[in-house]
């Protein structure tokens, strides 16, 4: 299993970013995929999840500002982030669901920095 | 939201000793509880799911248990490679992580 995130960047408050996660090594269509973030020096925070059927879930801290999607033909999952705030600054990990809600595989993360 | 509370925040242990890490859920999560290990500069690694099921290639010195809403990760015979931060996560009702326990020498 390999998960490779991209799209992290430095962006001003109020700006937008689109994170991507390219997956390989497993049958992508069969698994839910999630995003988990980690602010500098802090713990892990679940952000969003999309089921294999396309149902989506969001943490309250990002609801209304973030949209998760997937493209099964490209074995990829995306995180569209709008109205970014300073407290969105974090390393964003893409993670493969272990078929029951835990995350059995993780990417190396992509860094989002929101700063003026 | 289910709140996961880990204790202690930091655990100082000598190599070869046993480490006992705790995680308490604010309400029932059944056995929908996972443990992760994170080393500096690395992504988290799944250790335990279903409260006590070891993930693939996880050494047997790592074990998980449950008593009601209290969960324990035990590392028997700590090795130098085990010094890291450990997180619990519930997936019974949405997904939430504990704040982590750092295991240090």
């Amino acid at each position: 299993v390999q998960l490779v995130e991209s799209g992290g960047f430095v962006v001003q408050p109020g700006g937008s970013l689109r994170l991507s996660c390219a997956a390989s090594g497993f049958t992508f269509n069969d698994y839910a995929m999630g995003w988990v973030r980690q602010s500098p020096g802090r713990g892990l925070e679940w952000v969003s999840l999309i089921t294999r059927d396309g149902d989506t879930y969001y943490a309250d801290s990002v609801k209304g500002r973030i949209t998760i999607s997937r493209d099964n033909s490209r074995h990829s999952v995306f995180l569209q982030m709008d109205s970014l705030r300073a407290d969105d600054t974090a390393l964003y990990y893409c993670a493969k669901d272990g078929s029951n809600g835990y995350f059995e595989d993780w990417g190396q993360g992509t860094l989002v920095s929101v700063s003026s | 939201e289910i709140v996961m509370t880990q204790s202690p925040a930091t655990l100082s242990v000598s190599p070869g000793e046993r480490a006992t890490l705790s995680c308490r859920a604010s309400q029932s999560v059944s056995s929908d509880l996972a443990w992760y290990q994170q080393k500096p500069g690395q992504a988290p690694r799944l250790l335990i799911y279903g409260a006590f099921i070891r993930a693939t290639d996880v050494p047997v010195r790592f074990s998980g248990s449950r008593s009601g809403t209290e969960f324990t990760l035990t590392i028997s015979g700590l090795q130098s490679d085990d010094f890291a931060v450990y997180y619990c996560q519930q997936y019974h009702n949405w997904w939430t992580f504990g704040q982590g326990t750092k295991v240090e020498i």
Side-chain angles (χ1 to χ4, degrees):
Chain A
V1 173
Q2 190 170 18
L3 301 170
V4 180
E5 303 95 333
S6 61
F9 208 68
V10 180
V11 62
Q12 292 188 336
S16 297
L17 276 179
R18 187 185 194 223
L19 307 184
S20 300
C21 172
S24 60
F26 63 101
T27 306
F28 182 77
N29 299 20
D30 287 349
Y31 291 90
M33 297 294 295
W35 289 92
V36 176
R37 69 184 180 184
Q38 187 168 35
S39 301
R42 304 288 297 276
L44 302 171
E45 179 188 14
W46 171 76
V47 174
S48 182
L49 183 133
I50 184 166
T51 69
R52 60 181 185 176
D53 296 325
D55 296 326
T56 58
Y57 300 86
Y58 301 97
D60 286 345
S61 59
V62 303
K63 196 172 296 182
R65 302 186 298 116
I66 283 182
T67 304
I68 191 171
S69 62
R70 65 189 294 160
D71 184 337
N72 289 339
S73 67
R74 294 166 56 188
H75 295 182
S76 294
V77 61
F78 308 99
L79 198 67
Q80 177 65 41
M81 308 173 67
D82 300 315
S83 303
L84 282 163
R85 312 185 305 218
D87 61 1
D88 294 318
T89 294
L91 186 62
Y92 284 73
Y93 292 104
C94 170
K96 170 181 168 286
D97 178 64
S99 298
N100 204 20
Y102 55 89
F103 297 111
E104 66 179 355
D105 295 285
W106 298 64
Q108 286 304 304
T110 187
L111 186 61
V112 173
S113 179
V114 184
S115 174
S116 55
Chain B
E1 175 185 328
I2 298 177
V3 177
M4 308 302 292
T5 302
Q6 292 187 241
S7 61
T10 304
L11 185 62
S12 298
V13 190
S14 298
E17 292 185 340
R18 172 182 295 184
T20 302
L21 289 67
S22 296
C23 174
R24 173 183 293 177
S26 61
Q27 62 190 78
S28 176
V29 297
S30 187
S31 291
D32 297 332
L33 190 285
W35 289 94
Y36 302 87
Q37 175 193 66
Q38 188 178 35
K39 299 177 183 178
Q42 295 186 17
R45 171 198 177 195
L46 176 67
L47 295 176
I48 301 281
Y49 62 95
F52 53 85
I53 303 171
R54 272 187 299 277
T56 304
D57 294 332
V58 173
V60 296
R61 63 180 181 273
F62 291 92
S63 62
S65 62
R66 171 198 173 192
S67 177
T69 58
E70 296 270 356
F71 298 85
T72 301
L73 175 69
T74 301
I75 313 171
S76 303
L78 265 163
Q79 299 187 4
S80 57
D81 192 48
D82 301 334
F83 293 96
V85 179
Y86 293 83
Y87 295 94
C88 63
Q89 176 226 342
Q90 69 82 19
Y91 48 93
H92 183 71
N93 187 342
W94 294 64
W95 303 265
T96 48
F97 289 89
Q99 78 277 26
T101 290
K102 181 180 181 180
V103 177
E104 64 176 22
I105 300 175

